[in-house]
Amino acid sequence: VFSAKQYPLVSKCGYIGRLELQPSISNFPYEVKLDNFPGGPEAFDAVLKFCYGLPLDLNPQNIAQLRCASEYLEMSEELEDGNLVTKTEAFLTFVILSSWRDTITVLKSCDALSPWVENLQIVRRCCDSIAWKASRDNLTTSDDAWWLDDVATLRIDHFIRVITAIRAKGANPEVIGKCIMRYASRWLSGMDDELEDVRGYANQGKNGLQFSVLSGRRKEDQSAGSNKEKKAIIENLISILPPKKEAVPCRFLLEMLKMSIVYSVSPALISQLEKRVGMTLETATVKDLLIPNYKNEDQGKLLKSPDQQRTMHNLDVVHRIIEYFLMHEQDQQQLQPTPGKSSVSKLLDSYLAEIAKDPNVSVIQFQVLAEALPENARACHDGLYRAIDTYLKTHPSLSEHDRKRVSKLMICEKLSMDACMHAAQNERLPLRTAIQVLFSEQIKLRAAMQRKESAAESGNISEQETHQTETKSEIMTLKAELENVKTRMAELQKDYVELQLDYARLNNKQKQTVSWNLGWKRIRPSSLFQRKADGEEIEEGRKRSNSTSRKPSLRRRMSVS
């Protein structure tokens, strides 16, 4: 109850001015009752301070309340400039929405202000602002994104709107998956805190969903309202799962499936989860598939009554998951072949070995699950034989007909030698199956011996072929080397011819010089010889003349004598 003067309120609040004031029986002349006032007494007290001209402290905790209260009281600009509607709207637009933390705070404060925050689009503007800031630099964010924890603290309807806005801005499906897993780990009790790390089942902590569901340790004082709230969270999270199968791991989908069964989620959403699990079944583990058998009317309580004769685990869900896997595998093989059946066959055999320990599993249930995959899906039947042996050990009172029925599930020809040796000595198997195992073992031994003999006979031939192959390779190598030598010889011959030409040129020059010198030397001796010859002839002529001149004189002398 607040007491206030009429004029300050009427001058700024259009709603108060339009009221027909009724006389009060109390000391005050008039009494006004404000039903469903947004923000309650705290917000009205702040409005009174504003009307009296006192300073008003606007902050992220009260801005949404004051904005709704000012709209409720019609405190618009028509009555007074700078009225509360304008002030709160400006503070919300320019101060709050520009800050990540303040926007988160304002969005959390909108929980009790419906429908005013919706009509004033405060929630929409906050969600858009958060989505814009989150997707601005984190469209391909990692696990340690700074905004995941803040977004996970929002109410489920606000969270859905934020995720929808982030997806509209083109965020990666893996980012959406991380947000969903972080939100589930925070709001769904029993979910593993590190579910998004996608580690193996053995690494789960004590808070893991699998552990809490199997143990049935749910709070006894949990109210129906809390159950409905968690059911609503599960249904909303399933509805916003990205269609890309790699967006969320198979383990998380199976955890959500178990929670959906616990809180009796609608069958359509459970079927959607089963289809999603079937798309990624090759990445699942055996303990992920061990879904406890709950009864919907008991709100997730485990069936412990021995009179009900029900299995410990929900086999129908796993069978539907395998059918969805085969449908998805058939669609994928039309596009490209996938090796998923081999891994799923090993997973199914391990799963059969686990449920075979349950004495309430009937022969028909075991047979239906074992035959869920086609025969060509199993390359080896060792895992299936192990499951059959476990089932026969757990159900020793089976009739001969049922034991034959279970044993026919495996193909003896697809057993390994070790499995054949074990099955041949297994007293739990029917006699006919043991004979088939022995016959198959003999055929395998005979085939192995024939392979060894053929290998020994073909040893020489293979050696000759190997020798011929080596000889051919050596010949090819020698031919290549010979070609290289020929090429090198041609190059050397070319170089040799060029050297010969150069040598011939130099030799011609030297011959010309030597011949000229020899000619000169020949010319000089020949002239001297000619001179000597001429001299000798002259001398001889002189001698002859002298001799002729001497003969007459001698004759004279002789005549005189």
Side-chain angles (χ1 to χ4, degrees), residues 456-475:
E457 292 176 357
S458 62
N460 297 329
I461 299 175
S462 62
E463 288 180 359
Q464 292 178 0
E465 292 177 352
T466 304
H467 181 68
Q468 291 178 358
T469 305
E470 292 177 354
T471 305
K472 290 181 180 179
S473 62
E474 291 177 357
I475 291 172

Side-chain angles (χ1 to χ4, degrees), residues 160-413:
I160 296 297
R161 298 181 66 167
V162 169
I163 295 300
T164 304
I166 293 176
R167 179 182 294 174
K169 296 183 182 299
N172 206 333
E174 284 77 6
V175 176
I176 305 299
K178 300 293 183 184
C179 295
I180 294 174
M181 289 188 289
R182 187 71 61 90
Y183 193 88
S185 65
R186 181 181 179 89
W187 289 91
L188 298 178
S189 61
M191 295 291 284
D192 192 0
D193 293 333
E194 296 180 355
L195 201 57
E196 64 275 10
D197 292 340
V198 198
R199 293 195 297 267
Y201 176 84
N203 292 332
Q204 294 186 27
K206 294 183 179 180
N207 296 327
L209 174 66
Q210 180 74 21
F211 181 80
S212 63
V213 171
L214 287 176
S215 62
R217 294 186 304 168
R218 298 175 63 243
K219 296 182 179 179
E220 298 296 335
D221 57 348
Q222 201 171 25
S223 62
S226 179
N227 289 339
K228 291 181 179 179
E229 181 182 355
K230 290 185 177 181
K231 179 181 177 180
I233 290 174
I234 295 171
E235 291 178 346
N236 281 279
L237 292 182
I238 296 173
S239 64
I240 63 171
L241 284 173
K244 186 178 179 181
K245 71 174 186 177
E246 293 85 4
V248 288
C250 183
R251 175 171 170 257
F252 173 78
L253 295 174
L254 286 168
E255 299 287 348
M256 290 294 295
L257 181 59
K258 295 169 188 176
M259 295 292 288
S260 301
I261 297 173
V262 170
Y263 291 100
S264 304
V265 174
S266 64
L269 293 176
I270 291 180
S271 178
Q272 181 180 345
L273 273 180
E274 291 172 353
K275 291 179 181 179
R276 292 294 302 268
V277 173
M279 293 170 59
T280 58
L281 185 59
E282 61 269 13
T283 61
T285 61
V286 176
K287 291 188 178 180
D288 291 336
L289 286 177
L290 294 176
I291 302 173
N293 203 0
Y294 294 110
K295 195 175 181 181
N296 291 338
E297 58 265 27
D298 291 340
Q299 291 296 325
K301 293 182 180 179
L302 282 171
L303 294 172
K304 299 180 180 179
S305 176
D307 299 334
Q308 294 176 345
Q309 295 296 322
R310 298 195 50 181
T311 59
M312 295 175 58
H313 302 96
N314 197 327
L315 307 183
D316 296 333
V317 172
V318 176
H319 186 260
R320 289 196 297 268
I321 290 174
I322 295 175
E323 290 181 345
Y324 289 132
F325 164 75
L326 293 176
M327 294 170 57
H328 176 72
E329 192 78 4
Q330 184 177 2
D331 296 338
Q332 291 296 317
Q333 283 183 350
Q334 294 178 356
L335 302 176
Q336 57 182 0
T338 55
K341 287 184 180 179
S342 60
S343 59
V344 173
S345 63
K346 295 178 182 178
L347 176 65
L348 180 59
D349 291 343
S350 301
Y351 178 78
L352 289 172
E354 289 292 329
I355 65 169
K357 302 173 184 178
D358 185 1
N360 293 331
V361 175
S362 64
V363 175
I364 296 177
Q365 290 175 323
F366 188 84
Q367 181 181 2
V368 167
L369 273 178
E371 295 177 346
L373 291 177
E375 291 184 0
N376 58 359
R378 293 182 175 91
C380 179
H381 278 214
D382 288 2
L384 183 58
Y385 166 68
R386 189 181 302 109
I388 292 173
D389 184 40
T390 304
Y391 185 82
L392 295 177
K393 187 186 298 184
T394 309
H395 302 77
S397 59
L398 286 178
S399 62
E400 186 68 18
H401 174 73
D402 289 339
R403 288 197 298 133
K404 290 180 180 179
R405 188 176 179 181
V406 173
S407 301
K408 285 182 180 179
L409 295 173
M410 66 177 179
I411 300 176
C412 299
E413 288 77 7

